[in-house]
Amino acid sequence: MLLNAAPIRILGLRLSTIPSTQARNLSRLRFRGRLPKSSNPSHETPKPNRKWTRRAAVVGFLSAGSIITLNTYDPARHATLAVDRISRCVWAVGLSAWDYKRTLTKDYGNDDAMLQAYSDCHYRSAKRLLHALQHNGGIFIKLGQHMSSVQMLPYEWTSTMRPLQDQCIPTSYEALDAMVLHDTGKSIDELFVEFDPNPIGVASLAQVHIGRDRETGRKVAVKLQHPHLEEFAEIDMATATWCLAWVKQLFPEFEFTWLGEEMRQNLPLELDFQHEAENAARATADFSKHRYTTLYIPKVYHSTKRVMTMEFIEGARVDDLEYLQHLFHADPHPGNLLIRPAPSGSRSPYNFEICLLDHGLYFDIDDELRVNYAHLWLSLIAPPSAKTQADRRKYAQLVGKIDPEMYPVFESAITGRANLKALEDQPDTTSLGFKRSGSLLESLPQSEEEIEAIRRAVLQKEGLIEMVFELLRRMPRRVLMILKLNDLTRNLDTALKTTHTQARIFTIVARYCSLAVWIDQRKEFFSELRRSGPSLSAFRNFVSSWVSFHVYYDGLRLLEMGMDISAHIRMTSAWLRGLWANGLVGAERAAAGLDD
């Protein structure tokens, strides 16, 4: 029967044996639903499922439309990325906040178990956030770097975030070339006759390449911003701010919104290389007034918002002891980034120059804060007395809005030490069992045991962690930046293994603080003279201020000279020990601090 006739395969094609006229009739029968069912199911032609076909077409159309929209319509793409970044941060921050809440309210059998639980919670939370920051990249890396340098945070946090200082992924040459062409109207090849595609340095916001300028032929350092930062900076800042505000709403005692405020204020400045060029010019002008200075600011030849061409400096990191060993035998004052031999015509009184390379983040300190901070620092180096105690708390309130209850935490943050002795009748040892210094000038280097004891005390004392968070929230942002600078300077001094004690840093800062106070008092004297005319009391106060300034300034300078002599003796002793043990090479290494 023709209806059941089997098809014939010819060259792999399936052909029907039904005549064309019959086939057309059968087609019409099938369409109208009047075709009799075949007795052989294997020969039945399947009915097409039009419902699922339509659904597949709709899904395909929507998918293609979504892909096209995400690649061509920036608001849609930004919204998608924002949701992805927010969800990652919300998960890390929310889970950590819950972890803290659970850990801090739990009862423990003994102090050791409690301290271990607190420390483990710190590590877990820091690692969650580290994972989220690494995945998000961009300015989130910068946020983690900032956290790693705030010494008031628990050690578990700062040590976990520290790898972000060196985990910056370079941008490809192709992406950089496209950005340069967009920003300058010329490609990299058109601007430079030579350009090393491998960066000599990669940071969270930019990377630096060596090139040779096509017009002048001079060797230059080319600083290029990572192209994706400009596109996603607003998204990332909004994401971080939203997450921190969300944590504050759920857990008010865990205050991190200051991080978002800090990023909102500073990041746009750091992403603008033209602003950085202006800062470099201003710093150059400021130091041009000094006849002798060790500081050198590289010249900026050209800058757009994301591309900067600068003078290339041959040198090494300022904490590179191997490099310093062959350069000089004196202890440099703490610098910023790079050190080099003093070239011909240098204004440096030594045989080296310290080159300040990064000018992205500068800030001014208003006169009131500057003078109050100077008074606070002078009170910290003053010998213990009732007046010293009153001055320290008075200026802590004026500088950082610090009440008496929070003062001990603030003092430790600003000095890096356990509480100083403010009154003569106070015990000579702290509650942790370590010697209490009367002032910063009497401070000895911290031992590992003291650092660990302070860390345990922070974990153990009830409410102290929350107090640290509150202190960070309450302090003005400028003061927080000053504390960060203090930490970086102390860390650099430790890395250099200087033959001076830590008191030398405090001495240098105190000399400039005494100068700041004297300038303010002199200004006030002349203002009063113009306002009220000459008076005996005003003249007496002026003379008293002048004498006090010279007692402080000249006395501290003499103290620093004594430290220099003592340091030279220690360095000479180390040189002789190295010579005795390992010859001339050993002597040089020992004097440079390379052999413990």
Side-chain angles (χ1 to χ4, degrees), residues 96-108 113-114 116-122 124-125:
S96 297
W98 173 83
D99 196 359
Y100 270 115
K101 199 77 171 179
R102 180 179 59 89
T103 302
L104 296 177
T105 56
K106 186 177 179 180
D107 291 330
Y108 300 93
M114 181 185 68
Q116 187 61 49
Y118 285 6
S119 180
D120 291 344
C121 182
H122 285 320
R124 287 194 304 269
S125 301

mmCIF file with all atom_site columns, all heavy atoms in Angstrom, residues 96-108 113-114 116-122 124-125:
data_model
loop_
_atom_site.group_PDB
_atom_site.id
_atom_site.type_symbol
_atom_site.label_atom_id
_atom_site.label_alt_id
_atom_site.label_comp_id
_atom_site.label_asym_id
_atom_site.label_entity_id
_atom_site.label_seq_id
_atom_site.pdbx_PDB_ins_code
_atom_site.Cartn_x
_atom_site.Cartn_y
_atom_site.Cartn_z
_atom_site.occupancy
_atom_site.B_iso_or_equiv
_atom_site.pdbx_formal_charge
_atom_site.auth_seq_id
_atom_site.auth_comp_id
_atom_site.auth_asym_id
_atom_site.auth_atom_id
_atom_site.pdbx_PDB_model_num
ATOM 1   N N   . SER A 1 96  ? 30.798 38.674 57.462 1.00 0.00 ? 96  SER A N   1
ATOM 2   C CA  . SER A 1 96  ? 31.788 39.028 58.472 1.00 0.00 ? 96  SER A CA  1
ATOM 3   C C   . SER A 1 96  ? 31.140 39.761 59.647 1.00 0.00 ? 96  SER A C   1
ATOM 4   O O   . SER A 1 96  ? 31.496 39.523 60.805 1.00 0.00 ? 96  SER A O   1
ATOM 5   C CB  . SER A 1 96  ? 32.881 39.904 57.846 1.00 0.00 ? 96  SER A CB  1
ATOM 6   O OG  . SER A 1 96  ? 33.575 39.199 56.843 1.00 0.00 ? 96  SER A OG  1
ATOM 7   N N   . ALA A 1 97  ? 30.194 40.649 59.358 1.00 0.00 ? 97  ALA A N   1
ATOM 8   C CA  . ALA A 1 97  ? 29.501 41.360 60.439 1.00 0.00 ? 97  ALA A CA  1
ATOM 9   C C   . ALA A 1 97  ? 28.741 40.376 61.325 1.00 0.00 ? 97  ALA A C   1
ATOM 10  O O   . ALA A 1 97  ? 28.761 40.487 62.563 1.00 0.00 ? 97  ALA A O   1
ATOM 11  C CB  . ALA A 1 97  ? 28.561 42.396 59.858 1.00 0.00 ? 97  ALA A CB  1
ATOM 12  N N   . TRP A 1 98  ? 28.089 39.410 60.686 1.00 0.00 ? 98  TRP A N   1
ATOM 13  C CA  . TRP A 1 98  ? 27.381 38.384 61.464 1.00 0.00 ? 98  TRP A CA  1
ATOM 14  C C   . TRP A 1 98  ? 28.364 37.551 62.268 1.00 0.00 ? 98  TRP A C   1
ATOM 15  O O   . TRP A 1 98  ? 28.109 37.195 63.430 1.00 0.00 ? 98  TRP A O   1
ATOM 16  C CB  . TRP A 1 98  ? 26.583 37.492 60.518 1.00 0.00 ? 98  TRP A CB  1
ATOM 17  C CG  . TRP A 1 98  ? 25.964 36.316 61.209 1.00 0.00 ? 98  TRP A CG  1
ATOM 18  C CD1 . TRP A 1 98  ? 24.795 36.268 61.910 1.00 0.00 ? 98  TRP A CD1 1
ATOM 19  C CD2 . TRP A 1 98  ? 26.506 34.986 61.269 1.00 0.00 ? 98  TRP A CD2 1
ATOM 20  N NE1 . TRP A 1 98  ? 24.577 35.013 62.399 1.00 0.00 ? 98  TRP A NE1 1
ATOM 21  C CE2 . TRP A 1 98  ? 25.612 34.193 62.033 1.00 0.00 ? 98  TRP A CE2 1
ATOM 22  C CE3 . TRP A 1 98  ? 27.651 34.394 60.757 1.00 0.00 ? 98  TRP A CE3 1
ATOM 23  C CZ2 . TRP A 1 98  ? 25.842 32.857 62.278 1.00 0.00 ? 98  TRP A CZ2 1
ATOM 24  C CZ3 . TRP A 1 98  ? 27.890 33.051 61.012 1.00 0.00 ? 98  TRP A CZ3 1
ATOM 25  C CH2 . TRP A 1 98  ? 26.987 32.298 61.764 1.00 0.00 ? 98  TRP A CH2 1
ATOM 26  N N   . ASP A 1 99  ? 29.519 37.235 61.680 1.00 0.00 ? 99  ASP A N   1
ATOM 27  C CA  . ASP A 1 99  ? 30.548 36.459 62.360 1.00 0.00 ? 99  ASP A CA  1
ATOM 28  C C   . ASP A 1 99  ? 31.046 37.200 63.600 1.00 0.00 ? 99  ASP A C   1
ATOM 29  O O   . ASP A 1 99  ? 31.215 36.612 64.678 1.00 0.00 ? 99  ASP A O   1
ATOM 30  C CB  . ASP A 1 99  ? 31.698 36.193 61.388 1.00 0.00 ? 99  ASP A CB  1
ATOM 31  C CG  . ASP A 1 99  ? 32.626 35.082 61.867 1.00 0.00 ? 99  ASP A CG  1
ATOM 32  O OD1 . ASP A 1 99  ? 32.397 34.530 62.956 1.00 0.00 ? 99  ASP A OD1 1
ATOM 33  O OD2 . ASP A 1 99  ? 33.586 34.773 61.137 1.00 0.00 ? 99  ASP A OD2 1
ATOM 34  N N   . TYR A 1 100 ? 31.275 38.515 63.463 1.00 0.00 ? 100 TYR A N   1
ATOM 35  C CA  . TYR A 1 100 ? 31.708 39.311 64.615 1.00 0.00 ? 100 TYR A CA  1
ATOM 36  C C   . TYR A 1 100 ? 30.638 39.323 65.703 1.00 0.00 ? 100 TYR A C   1
ATOM 37  O O   . TYR A 1 100 ? 30.934 39.164 66.895 1.00 0.00 ? 100 TYR A O   1
ATOM 38  C CB  . TYR A 1 100 ? 32.006 40.744 64.175 1.00 0.00 ? 100 TYR A CB  1
ATOM 39  C CG  . TYR A 1 100 ? 33.427 40.973 63.744 1.00 0.00 ? 100 TYR A CG  1
ATOM 40  C CD1 . TYR A 1 100 ? 33.724 41.307 62.433 1.00 0.00 ? 100 TYR A CD1 1
ATOM 41  C CD2 . TYR A 1 100 ? 34.473 40.868 64.654 1.00 0.00 ? 100 TYR A CD2 1
ATOM 42  C CE1 . TYR A 1 100 ? 35.029 41.528 62.021 1.00 0.00 ? 100 TYR A CE1 1
ATOM 43  C CE2 . TYR A 1 100 ? 35.783 41.082 64.263 1.00 0.00 ? 100 TYR A CE2 1
ATOM 44  C CZ  . TYR A 1 100 ? 36.054 41.409 62.954 1.00 0.00 ? 100 TYR A CZ  1
ATOM 45  O OH  . TYR A 1 100 ? 37.344 41.628 62.557 1.00 0.00 ? 100 TYR A OH  1
ATOM 46  N N   . LYS A 1 101 ? 29.406 39.503 65.295 1.00 0.00 ? 101 LYS A N   1
ATOM 47  C CA  . LYS A 1 101 ? 28.314 39.565 66.268 1.00 0.00 ? 101 LYS A CA  1
ATOM 48  C C   . LYS A 1 101 ? 28.230 38.263 67.063 1.00 0.00 ? 101 LYS A C   1
ATOM 49  O O   . LYS A 1 101 ? 28.091 38.272 68.290 1.00 0.00 ? 101 LYS A O   1
ATOM 50  C CB  . LYS A 1 101 ? 26.996 39.809 65.525 1.00 0.00 ? 101 LYS A CB  1
ATOM 51  C CG  . LYS A 1 101 ? 25.878 40.341 66.398 1.00 0.00 ? 101 LYS A CG  1
ATOM 52  C CD  . LYS A 1 101 ? 26.070 41.816 66.669 1.00 0.00 ? 101 LYS A CD  1
ATOM 53  C CE  . LYS A 1 101 ? 24.841 42.418 67.345 1.00 0.00 ? 101 LYS A CE  1
ATOM 54  N NZ  . LYS A 1 101 ? 25.036 43.845 67.627 1.00 0.00 ? 101 LYS A NZ  1
ATOM 55  N N   . ARG A 1 102 ? 28.353 37.166 66.352 1.00 0.00 ? 102 ARG A N   1
ATOM 56  C CA  . ARG A 1 102 ? 28.274 35.855 67.009 1.00 0.00 ? 102 ARG A CA  1
ATOM 57  C C   . ARG A 1 102 ? 29.484 35.607 67.906 1.00 0.00 ? 102 ARG A C   1
ATOM 58  O O   . ARG A 1 102 ? 29.353 35.101 69.031 1.00 0.00 ? 102 ARG A O   1
ATOM 59  C CB  . ARG A 1 102 ? 28.186 34.777 65.929 1.00 0.00 ? 102 ARG A CB  1
ATOM 60  C CG  . ARG A 1 102 ? 28.086 33.352 66.457 1.00 0.00 ? 102 ARG A CG  1
ATOM 61  C CD  . ARG A 1 102 ? 27.973 32.375 65.294 1.00 0.00 ? 102 ARG A CD  1
ATOM 62  N NE  . ARG A 1 102 ? 29.121 32.484 64.422 1.00 0.00 ? 102 ARG A NE  1
ATOM 63  C CZ  . ARG A 1 102 ? 30.250 31.776 64.588 1.00 0.00 ? 102 ARG A CZ  1
ATOM 64  N NH1 . ARG A 1 102 ? 30.365 30.955 65.621 1.00 0.00 ? 102 ARG A NH1 1
ATOM 65  N NH2 . ARG A 1 102 ? 31.241 31.918 63.749 1.00 0.00 ? 102 ARG A NH2 1
ATOM 66  N N   . THR A 1 103 ? 30.679 35.988 67.439 1.00 0.00 ? 103 THR A N   1
ATOM 67  C CA  . THR A 1 103 ? 31.905 35.720 68.192 1.00 0.00 ? 103 THR A CA  1
ATOM 68  C C   . THR A 1 103 ? 31.997 36.568 69.452 1.00 0.00 ? 103 THR A C   1
ATOM 69  O O   . THR A 1 103 ? 32.367 36.079 70.524 1.00 0.00 ? 103 THR A O   1
ATOM 70  C CB  . THR A 1 103 ? 33.132 35.971 67.297 1.00 0.00 ? 103 THR A CB  1
ATOM 71  O OG1 . THR A 1 103 ? 33.049 35.141 66.139 1.00 0.00 ? 103 THR A OG1 1
ATOM 72  C CG2 . THR A 1 103 ? 34.418 35.676 68.046 1.00 0.00 ? 103 THR A CG2 1
ATOM 73  N N   . LEU A 1 104 ? 31.662 37.856 69.335 1.00 0.00 ? 104 LEU A N   1
ATOM 74  C CA  . LEU A 1 104 ? 31.838 38.762 70.463 1.00 0.00 ? 104 LEU A CA  1
ATOM 75  C C   . LEU A 1 104 ? 30.793 38.573 71.554 1.00 0.00 ? 104 LEU A C   1
ATOM 76  O O   . LEU A 1 104 ? 30.992 38.999 72.695 1.00 0.00 ? 104 LEU A O   1
ATOM 77  C CB  . LEU A 1 104 ? 31.793 40.212 69.972 1.00 0.00 ? 104 LEU A CB  1
ATOM 78  C CG  . LEU A 1 104 ? 32.916 40.634 69.019 1.00 0.00 ? 104 LEU A CG  1
ATOM 79  C CD1 . LEU A 1 104 ? 32.716 42.071 68.550 1.00 0.00 ? 104 LEU A CD1 1
ATOM 80  C CD2 . LEU A 1 104 ? 34.276 40.473 69.674 1.00 0.00 ? 104 LEU A CD2 1
ATOM 81  N N   . THR A 1 105 ? 29.674 37.945 71.240 1.00 0.00 ? 105 THR A N   1
ATOM 82  C CA  . THR A 1 105 ? 28.627 37.736 72.250 1.00 0.00 ? 105 THR A CA  1
ATOM 83  C C   . THR A 1 105 ? 28.648 36.326 72.844 1.00 0.00 ? 105 THR A C   1
ATOM 84  O O   . THR A 1 105 ? 27.838 36.021 73.707 1.00 0.00 ? 105 THR A O   1
ATOM 85  C CB  . THR A 1 105 ? 27.241 37.990 71.624 1.00 0.00 ? 105 THR A CB  1
ATOM 86  O OG1 . THR A 1 105 ? 27.065 37.146 70.474 1.00 0.00 ? 105 THR A OG1 1
ATOM 87  C CG2 . THR A 1 105 ? 27.104 39.445 71.193 1.00 0.00 ? 105 THR A CG2 1
ATOM 88  N N   . LYS A 1 106 ? 29.567 35.519 72.404 1.00 0.00 ? 106 LYS A N   1
ATOM 89  C CA  . LYS A 1 106 ? 29.642 34.137 72.878 1.00 0.00 ? 106 LYS A CA  1
ATOM 90  C C   . LYS A 1 106 ? 30.433 34.065 74.180 1.00 0.00 ? 106 LYS A C   1
ATOM 91  O O   . LYS A 1 106 ? 31.357 34.832 74.417 1.00 0.00 ? 106 LYS A O   1
ATOM 92  C CB  . LYS A 1 106 ? 30.307 33.268 71.803 1.00 0.00 ? 106 LYS A CB  1
ATOM 93  C CG  . LYS A 1 106 ? 30.302 31.786 72.117 1.00 0.00 ? 106 LYS A CG  1
ATOM 94  C CD  . LYS A 1 106 ? 30.919 31.000 70.951 1.00 0.00 ? 106 LYS A CD  1
ATOM 95  C CE  . LYS A 1 106 ? 30.951 29.515 71.251 1.00 0.00 ? 106 LYS A CE  1
ATOM 96  N NZ  . LYS A 1 106 ? 31.558 28.754 70.129 1.00 0.00 ? 106 LYS A NZ  1
ATOM 97  N N   . ASP A 1 107 ? 30.051 33.125 75.052 1.00 0.00 ? 107 ASP A N   1
ATOM 98  C CA  . ASP A 1 107 ? 30.774 32.910 76.309 1.00 0.00 ? 107 ASP A CA  1
ATOM 99  C C   . ASP A 1 107 ? 31.897 31.903 76.090 1.00 0.00 ? 107 ASP A C   1
ATOM 100 O O   . ASP A 1 107 ? 31.711 30.874 75.424 1.00 0.00 ? 107 ASP A O   1
ATOM 101 C CB  . ASP A 1 107 ? 29.824 32.385 77.391 1.00 0.00 ? 107 ASP A CB  1
ATOM 102 C CG  . ASP A 1 107 ? 28.820 33.448 77.815 1.00 0.00 ? 107 ASP A CG  1
ATOM 103 O OD1 . ASP A 1 107 ? 29.180 34.640 77.754 1.00 0.00 ? 107 ASP A OD1 1
ATOM 104 O OD2 . ASP A 1 107 ? 27.685 33.085 78.183 1.00 0.00 ? 107 ASP A OD2 1
ATOM 105 N N   . TYR A 1 108 ? 33.067 32.201 76.682 1.00 0.00 ? 108 TYR A N   1
ATOM 106 C CA  . TYR A 1 108 ? 34.226 31.319 76.533 1.00 0.00 ? 108 TYR A CA  1
ATOM 107 C C   . TYR A 1 108 ? 34.684 30.863 77.908 1.00 0.00 ? 108 TYR A C   1
ATOM 108 O O   . TYR A 1 108 ? 34.507 31.551 78.914 1.00 0.00 ? 108 TYR A O   1
ATOM 109 C CB  . TYR A 1 108 ? 35.357 32.032 75.798 1.00 0.00 ? 108 TYR A CB  1
ATOM 110 C CG  . TYR A 1 108 ? 34.968 32.482 74.407 1.00 0.00 ? 108 TYR A CG  1
ATOM 111 C CD1 . TYR A 1 108 ? 34.464 33.763 74.191 1.00 0.00 ? 108 TYR A CD1 1
ATOM 112 C CD2 . TYR A 1 108 ? 35.061 31.629 73.322 1.00 0.00 ? 108 TYR A CD2 1
ATOM 113 C CE1 . TYR A 1 108 ? 34.093 34.181 72.929 1.00 0.00 ? 108 TYR A CE1 1
ATOM 114 C CE2 . TYR A 1 108 ? 34.697 32.031 72.048 1.00 0.00 ? 108 TYR A CE2 1
ATOM 115 C CZ  . TYR A 1 108 ? 34.208 33.307 71.863 1.00 0.00 ? 108 TYR A CZ  1
ATOM 116 O OH  . TYR A 1 108 ? 33.830 33.705 70.603 1.00 0.00 ? 108 TYR A OH  1
ATOM 117 N N   . ALA A 1 113 ? 41.036 31.016 75.282 1.00 0.00 ? 113 ALA A N   1
ATOM 118 C CA  . ALA A 1 113 ? 40.054 30.579 74.282 1.00 0.00 ? 113 ALA A CA  1
ATOM 119 C C   . ALA A 1 113 ? 39.363 31.775 73.641 1.00 0.00 ? 113 ALA A C   1
ATOM 120 O O   . ALA A 1 113 ? 39.111 31.795 72.431 1.00 0.00 ? 113 ALA A O   1
ATOM 121 C CB  . ALA A 1 113 ? 39.026 29.647 74.935 1.00 0.00 ? 113 ALA A CB  1
ATOM 122 N N   . MET A 1 114 ? 39.060 32.795 74.451 1.00 0.00 ? 114 MET A N   1
ATOM 123 C CA  . MET A 1 114 ? 38.404 33.986 73.925 1.00 0.00 ? 114 MET A CA  1
ATOM 124 C C   . MET A 1 114 ? 39.326 34.729 72.946 1.00 0.00 ? 114 MET A C   1
ATOM 125 O O   . MET A 1 114 ? 38.901 35.137 71.857 1.00 0.00 ? 114 MET A O   1
ATOM 126 C CB  . MET A 1 114 ? 38.017 34.918 75.068 1.00 0.00 ? 114 MET A CB  1
ATOM 127 C CG  . MET A 1 114 ? 37.307 36.188 74.607 1.00 0.00 ? 114 MET A CG  1
ATOM 128 S SD  . MET A 1 114 ? 36.994 37.352 75.965 1.00 0.00 ? 114 MET A SD  1
ATOM 129 C CE  . MET A 1 114 ? 38.686 37.849 76.350 1.00 0.00 ? 114 MET A CE  1
ATOM 130 N N   . GLN A 1 116 ? 41.807 33.536 71.218 1.00 0.00 ? 116 GLN A N   1
ATOM 131 C CA  . GLN A 1 116 ? 41.971 32.767 69.987 1.00 0.00 ? 116 GLN A CA  1
ATOM 132 C C   . GLN A 1 116 ? 40.743 32.883 69.094 1.00 0.00 ? 116 GLN A C   1
ATOM 133 O O   . GLN A 1 116 ? 40.860 33.011 67.870 1.00 0.00 ? 116 GLN A O   1
ATOM 134 C CB  . GLN A 1 116 ? 42.235 31.288 70.323 1.00 0.00 ? 116 GLN A CB  1
ATOM 135 C CG  . GLN A 1 116 ? 42.591 30.433 69.124 1.00 0.00 ? 116 GLN A CG  1
ATOM 136 C CD  . GLN A 1 116 ? 43.858 30.907 68.437 1.00 0.00 ? 116 GLN A CD  1
ATOM 137 O OE1 . GLN A 1 116 ? 44.877 31.142 69.091 1.00 0.00 ? 116 GLN A OE1 1
ATOM 138 N NE2 . GLN A 1 116 ? 43.806 31.068 67.125 1.00 0.00 ? 116 GLN A NE2 1
ATOM 139 N N   . ALA A 1 117 ? 39.563 32.867 69.709 1.00 0.00 ? 117 ALA A N   1
ATOM 140 C CA  . ALA A 1 117 ? 38.323 33.010 68.928 1.00 0.00 ? 117 ALA A CA  1
ATOM 141 C C   . ALA A 1 117 ? 38.248 34.383 68.269 1.00 0.00 ? 117 ALA A C   1
ATOM 142 O O   . ALA A 1 117 ? 37.863 34.506 67.096 1.00 0.00 ? 117 ALA A O   1
ATOM 143 C CB  . ALA A 1 117 ? 37.112 32.784 69.835 1.00 0.00 ? 117 ALA A CB  1
ATOM 144 N N   . TYR A 1 118 ? 38.623 35.438 69.010 1.00 0.00 ? 118 TYR A N   1
ATOM 145 C CA  . TYR A 1 118 ? 38.614 36.779 68.436 1.00 0.00 ? 118 TYR A CA  1
ATOM 146 C C   . TYR A 1 118 ? 39.594 36.880 67.268 1.00 0.00 ? 118 TYR A C   1
ATOM 147 O O   . TYR A 1 118 ? 39.284 37.452 66.217 1.00 0.00 ? 118 TYR A O   1
ATOM 148 C CB  . TYR A 1 118 ? 38.993 37.814 69.500 1.00 0.00 ? 118 TYR A CB  1
ATOM 149 C CG  . TYR A 1 118 ? 37.899 38.115 70.507 1.00 0.00 ? 118 TYR A CG  1
ATOM 150 C CD1 . TYR A 1 118 ? 36.700 37.396 70.506 1.00 0.00 ? 118 TYR A CD1 1
ATOM 151 C CD2 . TYR A 1 118 ? 38.064 39.097 71.464 1.00 0.00 ? 118 TYR A CD2 1
ATOM 152 C CE1 . TYR A 1 118 ? 35.704 37.668 71.429 1.00 0.00 ? 118 TYR A CE1 1
ATOM 153 C CE2 . TYR A 1 118 ? 37.073 39.382 72.396 1.00 0.00 ? 118 TYR A CE2 1
ATOM 154 C CZ  . TYR A 1 118 ? 35.900 38.658 72.377 1.00 0.00 ? 118 TYR A CZ  1
ATOM 155 O OH  . TYR A 1 118 ? 34.913 38.935 73.282 1.00 0.00 ? 118 TYR A OH  1
ATOM 156 N N   . SER A 1 119 ? 40.793 36.342 67.478 1.00 0.00 ? 119 SER A N   1
ATOM 157 C CA  . SER A 1 119 ? 41.805 36.399 66.420 1.00 0.00 ? 119 SER A CA  1
ATOM 158 C C   . SER A 1 119 ? 41.357 35.634 65.184 1.00 0.00 ? 119 SER A C   1
ATOM 159 O O   . SER A 1 119 ? 41.525 36.102 64.052 1.00 0.00 ? 119 SER A O   1
ATOM 160 C CB  . SER A 1 119 ? 43.130 35.834 66.945 1.00 0.00 ? 119 SER A CB  1
ATOM 161 O OG  . SER A 1 119 ? 44.126 35.866 65.946 1.00 0.00 ? 119 SER A OG  1
ATOM 162 N N   . ASP A 1 120 ? 40.771 34.455 65.393 1.00 0.00 ? 120 ASP A N   1
ATOM 163 C CA  . ASP A 1 120 ? 40.280 33.661 64.255 1.00 0.00 ? 120 ASP A CA  1
ATOM 164 C C   . ASP A 1 120 ? 39.186 34.405 63.500 1.00 0.00 ? 120 ASP A C   1
ATOM 165 O O   . ASP A 1 120 ? 39.121 34.358 62.265 1.00 0.00 ? 120 ASP A O   1
ATOM 166 C CB  . ASP A 1 120 ? 39.744 32.316 64.749 1.00 0.00 ? 120 ASP A CB  1
ATOM 167 C CG  . ASP A 1 120 ? 40.855 31.409 65.268 1.00 0.00 ? 120 ASP A CG  1
ATOM 168 O OD1 . ASP A 1 120 ? 42.031 31.683 64.970 1.00 0.00 ? 120 ASP A OD1 1
ATOM 169 O OD2 . ASP A 1 120 ? 40.533 30.439 65.975 1.00 0.00 ? 120 ASP A OD2 1
ATOM 170 N N   . CYS A 1 121 ? 38.325 35.084 64.250 1.00 0.00 ? 121 CYS A N   1
ATOM 171 C CA  . CYS A 1 121 ? 37.252 35.864 63.607 1.00 0.00 ? 121 CYS A CA  1
ATOM 172 C C   . CYS A 1 121 ? 37.830 36.992 62.770 1.00 0.00 ? 121 CYS A C   1
ATOM 173 O O   . CYS A 1 121 ? 37.367 37.262 61.659 1.00 0.00 ? 121 CYS A O   1
ATOM 174 C CB  . CYS A 1 121 ? 36.302 36.409 64.668 1.00 0.00 ? 121 CYS A CB  1
ATOM 175 S SG  . CYS A 1 121 ? 34.905 37.342 63.993 1.00 0.00 ? 121 CYS A SG  1
ATOM 176 N N   . HIS A 1 122 ? 38.848 37.669 63.298 1.00 0.00 ? 122 HIS A N   1
ATOM 177 C CA  . HIS A 1 122 ? 39.518 38.722 62.529 1.00 0.00 ? 122 HIS A CA  1
ATOM 178 C C   . HIS A 1 122 ? 40.071 38.159 61.218 1.00 0.00 ? 122 HIS A C   1
ATOM 179 O O   . HIS A 1 122 ? 39.893 38.759 60.146 1.00 0.00 ? 122 HIS A O   1
ATOM 180 C CB  . HIS A 1 122 ? 40.657 39.333 63.340 1.00 0.00 ? 122 HIS A CB  1
ATOM 181 C CG  . HIS A 1 122 ? 40.201 40.252 64.436 1.00 0.00 ? 122 HIS A CG  1
ATOM 182 N ND1 . HIS A 1 122 ? 39.161 41.129 64.279 1.00 0.00 ? 122 HIS A ND1 1
ATOM 183 C CD2 . HIS A 1 122 ? 40.674 40.437 65.703 1.00 0.00 ? 122 HIS A CD2 1
ATOM 184 C CE1 . HIS A 1 122 ? 38.996 41.823 65.406 1.00 0.00 ? 122 HIS A CE1 1
ATOM 185 N NE2 . HIS A 1 122 ? 39.902 41.419 66.274 1.00 0.00 ? 122 HIS A NE2 1
ATOM 186 N N   . ARG A 1 124 ? 39.240 35.353 59.587 1.00 0.00 ? 124 ARG A N   1
ATOM 187 C CA  . ARG A 1 124 ? 38.185 34.905 58.675 1.00 0.00 ? 124 ARG A CA  1
ATOM 188 C C   . ARG A 1 124 ? 37.559 36.090 57.943 1.00 0.00 ? 124 ARG A C   1
ATOM 189 O O   . ARG A 1 124 ? 37.358 36.064 56.721 1.00 0.00 ? 124 ARG A O   1
ATOM 190 C CB  . ARG A 1 124 ? 37.098 34.149 59.451 1.00 0.00 ? 124 ARG A CB  1
ATOM 191 C CG  . ARG A 1 124 ? 37.476 32.777 59.920 1.00 0.00 ? 124 ARG A CG  1
ATOM 192 C CD  . ARG A 1 124 ? 36.241 31.998 60.369 1.00 0.00 ? 124 ARG A CD  1
ATOM 193 N NE  . ARG A 1 124 ? 35.485 32.676 61.406 1.00 0.00 ? 124 ARG A NE  1
ATOM 194 C CZ  . ARG A 1 124 ? 35.682 32.509 62.723 1.00 0.00 ? 124 ARG A CZ  1
ATOM 195 N NH1 . ARG A 1 124 ? 36.623 31.680 63.133 1.00 0.00 ? 124 ARG A NH1 1
ATOM 196 N NH2 . ARG A 1 124 ? 34.930 33.153 63.606 1.00 0.00 ? 124 ARG A NH2 1
ATOM 197 N N   . SER A 1 125 ? 37.254 37.126 58.698 1.00 0.00 ? 125 SER A N   1
ATOM 198 C CA  . SER A 1 125 ? 36.598 38.290 58.102 1.00 0.00 ? 125 SER A CA  1
ATOM 199 C C   . SER A 1 125 ? 37.520 39.001 57.114 1.00 0.00 ? 125 SER A C   1
ATOM 200 O O   . SER A 1 125 ? 37.087 39.415 56.030 1.00 0.00 ? 125 SER A O   1
ATOM 201 C CB  . SER A 1 125 ? 36.163 39.259 59.204 1.00 0.00 ? 125 SER A CB  1
ATOM 202 O OG  . SER A 1 125 ? 35.281 38.628 60.114 1.00 0.00 ? 125 SER A OG  1
#
